[in-house]
Amino acid sequence: MKMKRIFLGLALCLTAFLLSAGAMPQFLSIQDGETPLVLVLKSEGPITPVLIEYLERGVQMAENRGAEAIIFELDTPGGSVDIMNKIVQVIRGSSVPVVVYVYPQNAMAGSAGTVITLAGHLAAMAPETTIGAASPVGSEGEDIGETMEAKVKEILKASVRGLTKNRSEEASRLAEETIENARAVTVDEALEVGLVDIKAASVQDLVDQLDGREVILNEETITLSTRNAQVVEVGKTLIEELLLLLVNPNLVFLLL
């Protein structure tokens, strides 16, 4: 109990400090003019509720500033279905095309990350990355029971069928296999069947490949114009960084 009070006191002190400091987001200046703008958001590690707020803020910035596209860098082993669904809703509800980019090299879009990647208006992966193994499990990695597993699998497979409706039949089947059989594939395997759209070695490489590419946004086809685009990273606010720290399971274990 004493250690728990210390932990809570530390959290409250840090929160008060950040609030008094304003907790302004880390965001680089943007020049006015005709230059296309591409915003970059980054997420590494298990998906958490903090990611929802961060992504919503990034989408709002992109919409307000007339950005050409959002690149959402993703490297995750997965997370809860509820959080995943909310992230998918934010991505699909954006009026600015969102490109989910599994990055950096050797990153993964595992479990819930698979569905989030497919939710992008375009999906990209860096070399030596992987995607898949999206079968549902419990919060501790345990089996969730035959009946519940069947229900969740059917819901997830219906979701990916919707997200891959404009892709090849082979891509749609592969997406369902990542859920039904926990199948995982490399970037080259995913690209070969059209599960993802682009293989890019870096953000700049991705931006270059996006130029002239068609995207389906709200049932309309638009053409991206990213030639000589200004690429700006949207950092997390201090509050978001604090919340990420407080939900880090390793830190919580050490403190409690």
Side-chain angles (χ1 to χ4, degrees), residues 137-215:
V137 295
S139 60
E140 302 297 328
E142 76 279 7
D143 291 335
I144 57 176
E146 186 175 344
T147 301
M148 180 59 70
E149 181 182 13
K151 288 181 178 180
V152 176
K153 278 185 175 181
E154 287 303 311
I155 292 173
L156 291 175
K157 287 192 292 184
S159 295
V160 297
R161 283 198 300 271
L163 295 173
T164 58
K165 65 180 181 180
N166 296 313
R167 299 186 180 276
S168 68
E169 290 185 9
E170 192 173 359
S172 186
R173 284 197 298 271
L174 176 56
E176 290 195 52
E177 285 181 21
T178 66
I179 296 166
E180 182 62 40
N181 302 315
R183 184 177 175 186
V185 296
T186 66
V187 54
D188 295 315
E189 292 169 326
L191 193 63
E192 182 179 2
V193 301
L195 187 67
V196 298
D197 305 288
I198 299 171
K199 179 180 179 180
S202 65
V203 171
Q204 188 58 57
D205 183 20
L206 176 56
V207 170
D208 292 341
Q209 293 192 54
L210 289 177
D211 187 52
R213 188 173 289 265
E214 292 186 341
V215 175

Side-chain angles (χ1 to χ4, degrees), residues 111 117 128 186 222 254:
S111 190
T117 303
E128 300 179 17
T186 66
I222 64 173
L254 288 173

